[in-house]
Amino acid sequence: MKSPFLILMACLLPFAAQAEIRVTDGYVRAANPKSGAAFMTIRNTGDTACTLSGVSTDAAARAELHTSREENGMMRMVKADPITIAPGQSHVLARGGDHVMLMGLHEPLADGRDLLLMLDLGDCGLLSVPLPVDNARKPGATGGMSGHDGHAGHTGHGTMSPQTQP
Ligand SMILES: [Cu+2]
């Protein structure tokens, strides 16, 4: 016979490692009425590595992790591999780089709306993040959201031409 204590421990075990993910400076932007992209800074403040392995949303038929890379002088978007974020590290999803691609939007992304995105962080669990739609935002600009920690310089890639960005 199992004691209630053992059952309790078994239930708590998956959460024993402290997984803490903070998402800041996120926003969504339309590419056209049917597709768009989401950008954000994901910070791992826990003590175990977390791997962003998938994304989902009710707002679109499909959401995929994408990355932009240059091939033969052309910027192309390809599906990204899962992104592992070590403890204490951040990963930036930004224009011209890694991003969440939204395909088959059920309705066009209107400014001011919030879109709910579910991040699948593997062993670190699922994280639901509301992201504001901001179609006017320029690459590298800092949003009006609080909690930004001054890493705006990271987005200064410089080599991207605006029309090839997601
Ligand atoms: Cu994309």
Side-chain angles (χ1 to χ4, degrees), residues 105-130:
L105 288 167
H106 300 315
E107 50 186 292
L109 293 173
D111 277 327
R113 242 182 82 195
D114 261 8
L115 188 140
L116 203 61
L117 213 63
M118 184 74 89
L119 306 181
D120 180 352
L121 291 150
D123 294 342
C124 297
L126 293 167
L127 184 67
S128 154
V129 284

Side-chain angles (χ1 to χ4, degrees), residues 47-134:
D47 52 18
T48 57
C50 294
T51 299
L52 177 61
S53 50
V55 192
S56 61
T57 179
D58 287 341
R62 263 190 319 150
E64 283 179 2
L65 274 178
H66 270 193
T67 192
S68 306
R69 66 170 63 127
E70 198 178 320
E71 278 173 24
N72 304 320
M74 300 257 294
M75 287 302 295
R76 289 193 35 176
M77 293 199 298
V78 291
K79 252 184 154 174
D81 293 328
I83 296 165
T84 298
I85 309 165
Q89 297 298 303
S90 295
H91 191 89
V92 179
L93 306 185
R95 308 263 277 274
D98 297 340
H99 56 277
V100 172
M101 197 79 205
L102 306 170
M103 286 159 288
L105 288 167
H106 300 315
E107 50 186 292
L109 293 173
D111 277 327
R113 242 182 82 195
D114 261 8
L115 188 140
L116 203 61
L117 213 63
M118 184 74 89
L119 306 181
D120 180 352
L121 291 150
D123 294 342
C124 297
L126 293 167
L127 184 67
S128 154
V129 284
L131 301 176
V133 175
D134 187 353

